[in-house]
């Protein structure tokens, strides 16, 4: 079975310095029909204006992934981490028992465009943690690279949940296949471009929720950047 979540149907917030599309209920956007999908709780597509960002704030008991599409995102947290997240980077912050952090676009001219992803952890009250890894375009070109997993397989960042995240770039004749175990749920989010999944066309911002399927074909890409969540 497949259910679509079209990009134009998402929640939207314009705070001036921040413009954000919400795939699931978040902050002032509440939609009982879209509270999450399995352990996947949040996908926010954020655009941060130059010289602005999220001031220091706290989180608990959440696996937070940041995936930058354009620009740069500066990160600082109460664990002592300070980094810059760029396109191709995947950052994982396990909030656990509690962490404070900030995220800023320090550019004087360019917007930062990124995806903020929250995954509910399999266990609460873990120690906070941080990890960041880079995945070259060649590793994602015409294929689905594993970028997050419960065991850090294939050099992915480690999330504390039975969830695997793949990222891919597709153009023209590039094709890829993904097979998952029976009983899994799969959430496909197209960050940009156009792409078909099992013959279903998706455009930027669209998502497809699959249950009861184990094989997925990705084709007909036009400047496509896709995230695929394999969930328990």
């Amino acid at each position: 079975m497949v259910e679509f979540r079209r990009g134009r149907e998402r929640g939207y917030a314009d705070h001036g310095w921040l413009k954000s599309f919400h795939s699931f209920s978040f902050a002032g956007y509440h939609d009982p029909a879209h509270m999450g999908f399995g352990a996947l709780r949040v996908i926010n597509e954020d655009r941060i204006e130059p010289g602005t960002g999220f001031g220091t704030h706290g989180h608990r008991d959440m696996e937070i992934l940041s995936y930058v599409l354009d620009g740069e995102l500066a990160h600082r947290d109460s664990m002592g981490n300070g980094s810059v997240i760029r396109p191709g980077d995947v950052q994982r912050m396990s909030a656990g028992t509690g962490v404070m952090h900030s995220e800023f676009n320090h550019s004087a001219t360019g917007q930062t465009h990124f995806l903020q992803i929250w995954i509910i952890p399999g266990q609460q009250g873990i120690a906070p943690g941080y990890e960041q890894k880079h995945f070259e375009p060649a590793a994602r070109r015409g294929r689905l690279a594993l970028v997050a997993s419960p065991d850090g397989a294939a050099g992915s960042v480690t999330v504390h949940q039975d969830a695997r995240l793949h990222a891919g770039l597709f153009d023209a004749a590039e094709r890829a296949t993904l097979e998952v175990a029976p009983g899994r749920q799969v959430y496909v989010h197209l960050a940009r471009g156009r792409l078909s999944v099992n013959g279903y066309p998706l455009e930027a911002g669209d998502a497809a929720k699959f249950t009861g399927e184990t094989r997925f074909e990705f084709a007909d890409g036009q400047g496509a950047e896709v995230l695929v969540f394999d969930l328990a």
Side-chain angles (χ1 to χ4, degrees), residues 139-150:
R140 295 173 285 142
R141 171 59 56 198
R143 66 185 71 184
L144 292 167
L146 184 65
V147 300
S149 69

Side-chain angles (χ1 to χ4, degrees), residues 86-106:
R86 299 179 174 89
D89 292 343
V90 177
Q91 180 209 70
R92 182 267 302 169
M93 186 178 73
S94 298
T97 54
V99 66
M100 304 291 289
H101 79 136
S102 64
E103 296 168 303
F104 274 86
N105 172 12
H106 289 305

Side-chain angles (χ1 to χ4, degrees), residues 127-176:
Y130 178 89
E131 192 176 11
Q132 182 173 328
K133 294 190 175 181
H134 182 75
F135 300 88
E136 293 289 345
R140 295 173 285 142
R141 171 59 56 198
R143 66 185 71 184
L144 292 167
L146 184 65
V147 300
S149 69
D151 55 4
S156 59
V157 302
T158 302
V159 290
H160 297 89
Q161 177 55 269
D162 185 1
R164 291 165 179 81
L165 172 59
H166 298 80
L169 304 171
F170 294 90
D171 262 313
E174 295 170 336
R175 306 172 67 91

Side-chain angles (χ1 to χ4, degrees), residues 58-80:
H59 295 281
R60 294 180 64 90
D61 291 320
M62 195 65 68
E63 300 290 288
I64 300 173
L65 300 175
S66 296
Y67 186 97
V68 173
L69 296 164
D70 294 298
E72 297 182 347
L73 188 66
H75 167 95
R76 292 191 179 278
D77 63 46
S78 55
M79 295 177 282

